[in-house]
Each structure stands twice: as C-alpha cells, then as structure tokens.
Amino acid sequence: RFKDIYLGGGAFIGGTGTANKLDDYEEGTWSPSFNFSETAGFSGSITISNATYTKIGNFVSLNVQFGFSASSGTLAVGDKIRVNGGIPFAQKSSGSYGGTGGAFAYNANNSAGVTIQPMSDNGFRAFITAIHGSMNRNGGAMQITFNYQTT
C-alpha cells in the first residue's frame, strides 16, 4: 500500500503501449473573458467566483461560476453568454469538438437550462434553453462546464 507515488515519466494504464501512457495531467485556474453583446437588455456587471480547469492528455474540462450581482433585466430563452477569451488550451480542429452544459440559478424556485456551443475562435457560447420561474438577473448565478479536446 502506498500513500504517494512520484513518477518521472508517466504511468501505463491497462497495457504497455504508447496509447496507455498517462503522462499529462494538470489542474489550474483560468481567466475567462465574457461577451454579453448577444444578450438582450443586459446591463451591469458580473463577478467571477471560480474558474478552474483539469487537463488529462488532450481532454480539457473547464468550469466557471459567476454571479450577476449588479445586473438588470430578466433572462429569456435564447439569451447567449459568450466566452471569447482566456481558454487555457487551444481547441482541436477549430472548435468542432466539445460542449457540455451548465445551469443558471436565482433561488430554489427559479432556474434556467444552459446548452453549450463551441466556437471556431477558441471560445464557446452558453445558450439559455429553458426557464423555470421568474429569472431576474440581479442576484442570480451561473455555472458552466465546457469539455473539449486540445491539440
């Protein structure tokens, strides 16, 4: 039984072939750049509370949580929030891979579904796809997870 293992060149998982070698694992933070120009009636600002990534080989998982503490208006189906900068690793094949979802929460009775669209410029859009309750932006928070392949 071992507590910690430190390897100099990687570990082979499930076989001894090159494809079985795990030699690249990284965790860290990133600084997303948001663009709300495609969101109807948005004004105000957001506060990023957590933006982290995990990279295993060529798979990258981004997470970001942010709040609309000083914003106005209400969300509507079709509103878009674009992350167009700060992604820590370039997307493979001009952004044609990836995309998972997220959620917008205002309180226990108000939430919105989010769908992710990878963009060709190493960014992604989060679309509001469903709304439950009255979705005032002010005081709400959003969490997005975006998975993609890097080169």
Side-chain angles (χ1 to χ4, degrees), residues 39-40 74-80 112 127-131 135 137:
T39 301
T74 57
L75 289 175
V77 171
D79 278 355
K80 303 168 198 72
F127 286 86
I128 303 297
T129 56
I131 294 179
M135 295 304 299
R137 286 191 187 104

Side-chain angles (χ1 to χ4, degrees), residues 3-4 7 31 49 61 118 138:
K3 181 178 181 254
D4 295 313
L7 303 172
S31 299
S49 60
S61 182
N138 192 25

Side-chain angles (χ1 to χ4, degrees), residues 114-136:
V114 178
T115 298
I116 305 297
Q117 174 192 23
M119 304 302 295
S120 62
D121 60 355
N122 284 314
F124 60 91
R125 278 190 186 125
F127 286 86
I128 303 297
T129 56
I131 294 179
H132 310 283
S134 176
M135 295 304 299
N136 294 322

Side-chain angles (χ1 to χ4, degrees), residues 59-64 97-103 113-118 124-127 129 143-148:
F59 174 82
V60 180
S61 182
L62 302 178
N63 291 289
V64 61
Y97 294 86
T100 49
V114 178
T115 298
I116 305 297
Q117 174 192 23
F124 60 91
R125 278 190 186 125
F127 286 86
T129 56
Q143 177 174 336
I144 297 172
T145 299
F146 177 58
N147 298 320
Y148 66 96

Side-chain angles (χ1 to χ4, degrees), residues 21-27 53-61 89 148-150:
K21 186 176 182 182
L22 176 60
D23 61 352
D24 185 10
Y25 179 88
E26 183 178 336
E27 293 180 346
Y53 71 85
T54 302
K55 180 178 182 286
I56 303 171
N58 68 348
F59 174 82
V60 180
S61 182
F89 305 96
Y148 66 96
Q149 289 182 328
T150 187

